Amino acid sequence: MSTSAPFRLGFLLLPGFSMMDFAFALEPLRMANLLRERTLYRWYVCVAEEAPAVAGIGQGLAPDCTLSEAGPLDALLVCGGEGMVAEMGAATLQRLRELGRDGVVLGAIGGGVGMLAAAGLLEGYRAAVHWRMADALRARFPGLAVATELFVCDRDRLTCCGGTAALDMSLDLIGRQHGAALMQAISEAFVCEHLRGPNVPQPVPLHRHLGIRQPELLNAVALMQANLAEPLNLEEIARRLGVSLRKLERLFRRHLQSNPSRYYLELRLQQARKLLLQSTLPIAEVARACGFISAAHFSTAYQRQFGRRPVYERRLQAETRLPAIPPAMVAPHRAPERAYRNSVAAGGWR
């Protein structure tokens, strides 16, 4: 879906914001303008009245305006730092609430999620939170529905765990608004090999993902993950770990409530689902890449695990890859309160 008027996106930079998050979210917008040779997006760097735009690396950034001075916006992304739960003034929180009531799409990257949560703007929404911040945010905001994906588009809220996921979220936004071809062209311009959608989980460290620190079990799972295409037999895994097969089975039952064979199969099927959703590999090649010699066996195991055969998973992925965006994200163009810059490659208030 495309609109004739530029989509106006504000970036609210909190003290200690991540320069990487900001750049990864912004650069796809600049490239979209460049490739289409017209202004699809205008962006405005905003700060709170009480807080200068100084990044976590100590580098300052000249803002276009304060949040209260910002003219009409279609969306606002709050950029915070790693591990930051914002402590901002009441006026800033109130202004965010006003923007939400005005129909502005509100989003956050990294630590900016804490700011939206503090303003009560994530109640009833799922929010993508970096795994290192999840416990702190849950403790402070018990009602926050923490998601483990790279980014989440839940109606008129966009949240992202930060880092390279900010690039994925911007590409997804551009694809929803202007089509998959432009999204793909931007990805290729940035030498980005894979497009990661909103259903992709964050790559969490193994001990954190499993919630255990038992070294032999962690090593066993790591061996399984490293040998998906050519699965090891359980005796070989036990031999490499220097434990008996009986002890290996006991560790899986005690800590993971599973047996090694079943757990290994689930890892291979999860990898197969990821390849089906994120690549164009033929289904037979997906099966081989995940250690299934027989396509029929793969299809049966996949249906037993996920409730549908691989061919239907691929078809569903193709049909839903770029769903229609919420109406709030294509809001009618309002007359600007200030003059816009006309540059294709940059935006900001005069």
Side-chain angles (χ1 to χ4, degrees):
M1 186 179 297
S2 178
T3 59
S4 57
F7 190 80
R8 299 152 301 177
L9 183 63
F11 289 90
L12 175 59
L13 304 184
L14 303 181
F17 74 93
S18 167
M19 191 72 80
M20 174 186 288
D21 292 355
F22 174 56
F24 277 167
L26 175 60
E27 280 296 316
L29 309 180
R30 179 188 68 84
M31 186 57 68
N33 290 349
L34 190 63
L35 292 177
R36 282 290 175 89
E37 298 184 342
R38 64 187 180 95
T39 307
L40 301 178
Y41 296 94
R42 286 198 172 100
W43 51 88
Y44 311 94
V45 178
C46 310
V47 293
E49 277 77 3
E50 66 271 31
V54 179
I57 60 174
Q59 180 68 45
L61 192 65
D64 297 308
C65 59
T66 63
L67 184 60
S68 63
E69 294 172 338
L73 297 172
D74 297 306
L76 177 76
L77 292 180
V78 182
C79 300
E82 182 180 349
M84 177 180 181
V85 177
E87 296 285 355
M88 304 302 291
T92 298
L93 297 177
Q94 180 58 30
R95 179 57 181 153
L96 287 173
R97 297 185 189 106
E98 291 171 357
L99 292 172
R101 286 196 295 269
D102 289 343
V104 174
V105 174
L106 296 176
I109 303 174
V113 174
M115 175 71 121
L116 291 188
L121 293 166
L122 291 178
E123 295 180 7
Y125 293 88
R126 295 178 67 247
V129 175
H130 193 286
W131 64 266
R132 295 180 64 178
M133 299 168 52
D135 290 343
L137 286 173
R138 283 193 189 99
R140 181 165 180 181
F141 308 107
L144 183 63
V146 172
T148 58
E149 292 95 329
L150 295 172
F151 64 95
V152 170
C153 176
D154 187 353
R155 291 159 288 165
D156 54 352
R157 296 291 183 269
L158 298 172
T159 51
C160 171
C161 69
T164 57
L167 174 66
D168 299 306
M169 186 173 74
S170 278
L171 285 171
D172 185 75
L173 173 64
I174 293 167
R176 291 169 186 267
Q177 293 181 322
H178 298 286
L182 180 58
M183 178 178 66
Q184 183 65 44
I186 297 169
S187 177
E188 292 171 356
F190 290 155
V191 200
C192 181
E193 185 177 1
H194 297 296
L195 294 172
R196 302 183 299 179
N199 295 321
V200 179
Q202 297 175 37
V204 181
L206 186 56
H207 71 85
R208 181 88 180 204
H209 174 70
L210 297 178
I212 59 174
R213 288 188 175 274
Q214 211 290 333
E216 291 165 332
L217 182 56
L218 290 175
N219 288 337
V221 174
L223 272 175
M224 291 177 177
Q225 290 179 332
N227 294 274
L228 298 178
E230 297 182 5
L232 302 172
N233 60 53
L234 298 185
E235 290 78 6
E236 176 64 14
I237 292 175
R239 186 191 67 77
R240 293 192 187 188
L241 297 177
V243 301
S244 68
L245 180 58
R246 180 171 295 182
K247 181 177 181 179
L248 181 67
E249 293 171 340
R250 189 166 58 248
L251 287 173
F252 272 83
R253 285 196 304 270
R254 179 185 302 168
H255 296 283
L256 297 177
Q257 294 74 54
S258 184
N259 63 65
S261 297
R262 180 63 195 171
Y263 191 86
Y264 205 170
L265 176 61
E266 290 176 353
L267 285 179
R268 291 159 56 205
L269 289 170
Q270 289 289 350
Q271 176 67 6
R273 185 169 190 268
K274 183 184 297 185
L275 292 175
L276 287 172
L277 294 175
Q278 300 176 37
S279 77
T280 57
L281 282 175
I283 291 176
E285 291 188 26
V286 170
R288 285 193 293 271
C290 298
F292 293 92
I293 298 175
S294 163
H297 177 217
F298 169 57
S299 182
T300 300
Y302 194 95
Q303 183 176 30
R304 188 179 297 119
Q305 179 73 14
F306 299 112
R308 52 182 170 267
R309 293 186 182 276
V311 64
Y312 294 119
E313 186 80 88
R314 176 61 61 79
R315 186 178 302 165
L316 181 66
Q317 183 264 352
E319 292 173 351
T320 62
R321 183 179 184 189
L322 293 173
I325 62 176
M329 296 175 65
V330 287
H333 186 61
R334 298 181 289 269
E337 297 174 3
R338 295 170 181 259
Y340 291 116
R341 294 178 185 168
N342 294 320
S343 168
V344 168
W349 295 113
R350 289 182 185 268

